[in-house]
Amino acid sequence: MSDDPAQPRESLRDRLTDGLYGLGWSAVKKLPEPVARTLFRTIADQAWKRRGKSVLRLESNLARVVPGASPARLAELSKAGMRSYMRYWMESFRLPTWSPARIKASMDVSDAHRLTDGLGAGRGVILALPHLANWDLAGAWVTTDLKVPFTTVAERLRPETLYDRFVAYREGLGMEVLPHSGGAAFGTLARRLRAGGLVCLVADRDLSASGVEVTFFGDTARMPAGPALLAQQTGALLLPVTLSYDDTPVMKARIHPPVEEPESGDRTEKTSSMTQALADAFAVGIADHPEDWHMLQRLWLADLEPREDRT
């Protein structure tokens, strides 16, 4: 037994979290769809009314995306944002039961030829996305409609059983999932790309604290260097992708023009330039649909809490 009095509470919280997600995947998919939609919209509205830390952080982030927005406008956007976020979860809990035809009918992809042409040429392709709308549905469309498997990475979650649930869920959709931590993911991704494969990465928030500083909506943020480094090392095509919802059941996706490797500069300079190009493409999609950007965490450097080891 642990001598730490906080440990039992932490273990209970972990078990509760894991149990709630397990209930979501087992129960929500059995509900009639109108009931599920109403339930998750109600959950979103109740969370928004409580004005907790996540909602306040979402509003703070949206204030950068929509400069000059009034408090009423930001409140309106954050309410829509929570509804969008809960739509993501409702769809994700139900997605394992969707047929390939349902998945195809739920996606409208602009400029898909940029992806299919790249793969058809035998060139590895990297799709880089921000936290917009439902990236799991986009991945399911790739594996079921295009019938192209791909590799991605997932953040290690606590408890470990919850991480295992997410891995099993995404593998069930046809994805190869690598852990974000551990150091081996980059080499595996590079091998998949050199073999002409597809890699998909959510890339608008750095999880390593060693990412690339970019200008994002007028201020400095840090985004992961991985997509740009992989493209340089393997010659893969780097394509930004943005997603959005509207009032229909169909999610919209846009595959942006490729981010090219600069002709001059060292690796650090090229990585900085390419990551900035990704950030610029992400910003276009987020500005068009700010309510679908599910960024409930701190992102900009000015908002990050100081680390204890800094002087």
Side-chain angles (χ1 to χ4, degrees), residues 116-152:
T116 55
D117 289 352
L119 292 171
R123 184 177 181 184
V125 177
I126 305 162
L127 297 180
L129 307 88
H131 286 81
L132 274 170
N134 191 339
W135 45 96
D136 286 331
L137 173 55
W141 173 80
V142 169
T143 59
T144 58
D145 190 46
L146 297 186
K147 295 181 172 54
V148 175
F150 68 86
T151 305
T152 188

Side-chain angles (χ1 to χ4, degrees), residues 64-241:
R64 293 181 182 272
V65 173
V66 189
S70 66
R73 174 60 176 154
L74 288 175
E76 178 184 281
L77 280 173
S78 67
K79 185 175 185 178
M82 292 304 296
R83 287 181 172 184
S84 174
Y85 185 48
M86 286 297 107
R87 176 175 170 176
Y88 161 77
W89 281 112
M90 187 272 291
E91 289 179 346
S92 294
F93 287 141
R94 299 174 68 85
L95 196 52
T97 68
W98 285 12
S99 67
R102 170 70 187 274
I103 292 170
K104 180 179 181 179
S106 299
M107 289 288 299
D108 180 10
V109 182
S110 298
D111 297 314
H113 67 90
R114 290 177 172 141
L115 168 59
T116 55
D117 289 352
L119 292 171
R123 184 177 181 184
V125 177
I126 305 162
L127 297 180
L129 307 88
H131 286 81
L132 274 170
N134 191 339
W135 45 96
D136 286 331
L137 173 55
W141 173 80
V142 169
T143 59
T144 58
D145 190 46
L146 297 186
K147 295 181 172 54
V148 175
F150 68 86
T151 305
T152 188
V153 297
E155 179 183 1
R156 284 268 185 203
L157 301 172
R158 291 190 59 189
E160 189 73 15
T161 50
L162 178 58
Y163 171 78
D164 292 341
R165 285 186 191 276
F166 272 96
V167 170
Y169 157 64
R170 288 180 172 134
E171 288 180 340
L173 298 175
M175 311 175 193
E176 179 187 24
V177 183
L178 307 175
H180 182 272
S181 59
F186 188 92
T188 302
L189 294 174
R191 287 193 295 274
R192 300 292 183 268
L193 291 167
R194 290 194 185 99
L198 177 64
V199 164
C200 299
L201 301 170
V202 179
D204 58 342
R205 179 169 172 256
D206 177 54
L207 295 174
S208 66
S210 61
V212 178
E213 291 189 4
V214 296
T215 300
F216 195 54
F217 290 103
D219 208 342
T220 304
R222 189 183 291 120
M223 294 187 181
L229 288 171
L230 283 166
Q232 291 175 67
Q233 186 164 315
T234 66
L237 190 67
L238 177 55
L239 296 173
V241 180

Side-chain angles (χ1 to χ4, degrees), residues 44-63:
D45 290 350
Q46 290 300 316
W48 178 79
K49 287 178 182 178
R50 285 199 296 269
R51 309 288 294 163
K53 289 182 179 180
S54 294
V55 173
L56 295 177
R57 174 50 49 193
L58 177 61
E59 279 190 14
S60 177
N61 290 338
L62 289 170

